[in-house]
Amino acid sequence: LYLLLRTFKYIKIKMFIRLISFLVLASFYVGVGTGQPLVPSLIIMGDSVVDAGNNNRRTTLIKANFPPYGRDFFAHNSTGRFSNGKLVIDFTAESLGFTSYPVAYLSQGANGTNLLTGANFASGASGFDDGTSLLYNAITLNQQLKNYKEYKIKVTNMVGRDRANEIFSGAIYLLSTGSSDFLQSYYINPILNRIFTPDRYSDRLMNFYSTFVHNLYNLGARRIGVTTLPPLGCLPAAITMFGGAGNNTCVERLNRDAVSFNTKLNNTSMYLANKLPGLKLVVLDIYNPLLSMVMNPVANGFFESRRACCGTGTMETSFLCNARSVGTCSNATNYVFWDGFHPSEAANRVLAASLLVQGISLIS
């Protein structure tokens, strides 16, 4: 009976998510009625949470182009996505009416008309601070901007300047990064710890963020969505690394740092939106939706939120999550986390539904 009740709750959650997505989008399609995407293109920048395969050909340990990554994706294909299946941005593209996902810019498929509906420039282990990216040979945010400039030239050559400018100004730009700055740099770097308090380090990252938004704005972006940090202390690998021996609960000091950072992100974004004419800049909260899934898994349609699906579920990510990882679960839909740092496809679906509602102003 208990299992039946939990299953019923899971079904209700999924039905609710689909209903919300339908109602939000239906209001726009009534006015549009063309079957075309709600925006001309979708541009993605950031880190492994949104990387669709740009790290595949790089000399870096931060990769996901091998099993069991992608085992629940189309044709069970390991594309370089850090998940068992779709990412939040994949669900977002579907909800916006696109029939394909923004192609990884450094992949073989990034050519011709595939580029007209957007591109993905993200790189696993990238951060607001280019120094974080360089530690892991990831693509820095500055280099992602340079790649975007190159992309703009290619699109302009295909469709002409006027049409290209319509695409660039009407596009939605999504930025998701910052976790690596803390988990893979600041918290493990004694030099940074000595120089900066967490609060001052957040200020440093805000300066990088502000510069990035200005640069993207000057390149024609007018609709930008940026995600908050997740509850860093609740990621399985973070609990293992920073929670102490035997701890199985969220590391509160890490969560406090994330909350403080997110407050600064909101304030800085409000300032930038007021300063830059015509800019729609929306902060998309993933902290609270993910925290809700972690703290109340059954109520959100999940059975496991402390341990990830891959391997032991306590640490594995990237090359540590591989086809020989012992203990990998058979059904990832029951798990909030796929590996030690990244949500499962099922959790990404829930997050995407939340972000869709939050980002309405970017569409209208």
Side-chain angles (χ1 to χ4, degrees):
L1 178 60
Y2 176 64
L3 288 175
L4 286 174
L5 287 173
R6 292 203 302 182
T7 303
F8 181 61
K9 286 182 179 180
Y10 175 80
I11 293 171
K12 288 197 297 182
I13 288 291
K14 296 302 179 184
M15 290 176 64
F16 175 74
I17 290 169
R18 292 186 181 124
L19 177 62
I20 288 294
S21 300
F22 172 78
L23 290 176
V24 171
L25 293 176
S27 64
F28 292 102
Y29 275 118
V30 166
V32 179
T34 62
Q36 297 297 313
L38 297 176
V39 293
S41 63
L42 188 58
I43 306 297
I44 311 297
M45 296 181 182
D47 59 18
S48 60
V49 174
V50 290
D51 185 357
N54 285 307
N55 274 16
N56 289 358
R57 298 184 179 183
R58 295 184 68 81
T59 305
T60 176
L61 295 175
I62 314 301
K63 293 184 179 183
N65 57 336
F66 46 81
Y69 287 103
R71 73 178 193 188
D72 299 313
F73 199 64
F74 300 111
H76 312 291
N77 189 15
S78 301
T79 61
R81 287 168 168 80
F82 288 79
S83 176
N84 59 301
K86 299 176 185 177
L87 304 176
V88 168
I89 54 169
D90 297 324
F91 290 114
T92 300
E94 292 174 1
S95 296
L96 292 175
F98 291 100
T99 57
S100 61
Y101 306 134
V103 61
Y105 186 68
L106 298 184
S107 68
Q108 290 181 330
N111 52 61
T113 57
N114 287 342
L115 296 175
L116 296 183
T117 54
N120 185 317
F121 301 90
S123 172
S126 180
F128 286 109
D129 186 346
D130 281 0
T132 300
S133 310
L134 295 174
L135 286 173
Y136 301 93
N137 197 31
I139 306 168
T140 67
L141 272 191
N142 281 322
Q143 184 60 53
Q144 291 181 39
L145 278 176
K146 291 178 182 178
N147 291 345
Y148 173 67
K149 290 180 184 178
E150 182 181 272
Y151 160 84
K152 287 187 65 177
I153 294 172
K154 292 180 180 180
V155 171
T156 301
N157 289 339
M158 276 190 283
V159 301
R161 185 172 301 277
D162 290 342
R163 175 56 185 151
N165 287 338
E166 291 177 2
I167 293 174
F168 304 142
S169 62
I172 288 181
Y173 298 76
L174 294 179
L175 171 66
S176 181
T177 193
S179 296
S180 294
D181 288 310
F182 282 93
L183 294 175
Q184 294 168 268
S185 181
Y186 177 75
Y187 289 137
I188 63 174
N189 187 328
I191 297 176
L192 285 178
N193 271 258
R194 195 174 301 119
I195 297 174
F196 301 105
T197 63
D199 187 62
R200 287 187 59 201
Y201 187 67
S202 290
D203 290 338
R204 173 181 169 85
L205 297 183
M206 281 302 103
N207 289 332
F208 293 132
Y209 167 62
S210 182
T211 300
F212 173 84
V213 171
H214 274 95
N215 290 337
L216 195 56
Y217 177 87
N218 290 335
L219 290 172
R222 292 298 181 268
R223 305 180 184 194
I224 304 174
V226 55
T227 63
T228 64
L229 288 183
L232 296 174
C234 295
L235 306 184
I239 294 174
T240 301
M241 294 167 62
F242 307 107
N247 181 53
N248 195 36
T249 60
C250 298
V251 185
E252 289 305 318
R253 69 179 178 88
L254 271 60
N255 282 354
R256 285 195 298 270
D257 291 345
V259 169
S260 175
F261 175 92
N262 292 341
T263 299
K264 293 176 186 291
L265 184 67
N266 273 286
N267 292 338
T268 302
S269 297
M270 288 178 60
Y271 170 79
L272 291 169
N274 290 329
K275 180 181 179 181
L276 300 174
L279 175 63
K280 293 182 178 180
L281 179 57
V282 177
V283 176
L284 304 169
D285 174 30
I286 63 172
Y287 182 97
N288 287 297
L290 187 55
L291 182 65
S292 175
M293 284 185 265
V294 170
M295 303 306 293
N296 303 289
V298 174
N300 286 279
F302 298 94
F303 298 156
E304 176 61 64
S305 64
R306 297 300 188 193
R307 187 170 68 87
C309 173
C310 190
T312 65
T314 57
M315 188 67 189
E316 292 87 350
T317 193
S318 191
F319 71 96
L320 293 177
C321 174
N322 58 67
R324 295 185 178 182
S325 296
V326 177
T328 299
C329 74
S330 60
N331 185 2
T333 60
N334 294 330
Y335 287 70
V336 173
F337 294 101
W338 162 248
D339 66 15
F341 287 96
H342 305 98
S344 66
E345 179 185 77
N348 282 332
R349 184 189 297 274
V350 176
L351 290 172
S354 175
L355 298 191
L356 179 65
V357 176
Q358 296 179 54
I360 288 177
S361 63
L362 292 176
I363 305 172
S364 60

